[in-house]
Amino acid sequence: VQIVESGGGLVQPGGSLRLSCAASGSIFTIKKMAWYRQAPGKERELVAHITDDGSTNYVDSVKGRFTISRDNAKNTTYLQMNSLKSEDTAVYYCYADIYSGTWYELTHVHPWGQGTLVTVFS
């Protein structure tokens, strides 16, 4: 099972970006997908997650600005980031909680993506 992020880039403060994260491989079900970020010199932090029933949670610093969503048919999650600030600059990583295989032989895996850089500059 692999997950691949896309959508990072350069943006001015107040701008928007949408990140995508697609999971592929032998996937039985995806319990949760999440976005983390790591800024230079800082620890990786959870930005948002979404469960298989659509429940979401956000770190306080992005509430009201970021929206996480998922397309179950495409095994994909999105992070819409609006009103971006310089402090949002970081490498954003996608994480997934996946049961791989078939119903009679499941493997619980937790893959990470390679990361995508978001730079907010003025």
Side-chain angles (χ1 to χ4, degrees), residues 5-119:
E5 306 103 333
S6 62
L10 301 173
V11 64
Q12 292 185 328
S16 299
L17 283 175
R18 189 175 86 150
L19 306 183
S20 299
C21 166
S24 62
S26 180
I27 297 171
F28 181 78
T29 189
I30 301 177
K31 299 299 292 181
K32 180 169 67 178
M33 300 187 83
W35 289 95
Y36 286 74
R37 66 185 179 186
Q38 187 166 20
K42 296 187 177 181
E43 294 186 352
R44 190 173 298 189
E45 68 169 349
L46 175 64
V47 176
H49 78 246
I50 184 166
T51 62
D52 54 355
D53 65 358
S55 297
T56 59
N57 194 34
Y58 300 88
V59 67
D60 286 346
S61 60
V62 308
K63 286 181 180 178
R65 301 188 298 122
F66 291 11
T67 302
I68 189 170
S69 60
R70 62 190 281 177
D71 183 334
N72 291 329
K74 296 181 179 180
N75 292 328
T76 298
T77 186
Y78 306 96
L79 186 67
Q80 178 66 44
M81 306 185 294
N82 299 327
S83 302
L84 282 160
K85 305 176 181 179
S86 57
E87 50 263 45
D88 295 317
T89 294
V91 177
Y92 284 71
Y93 297 91
C94 181
Y95 162 88
D97 181 352
I98 296 174
Y99 283 93
S100 174
T102 59
W103 66 269
Y104 53 87
E105 189 173 356
L106 293 175
T107 302
H108 200 183
V109 295
H110 305 90
W112 288 86
Q114 80 287 353
T116 185
L117 178 62
V118 172
T119 304

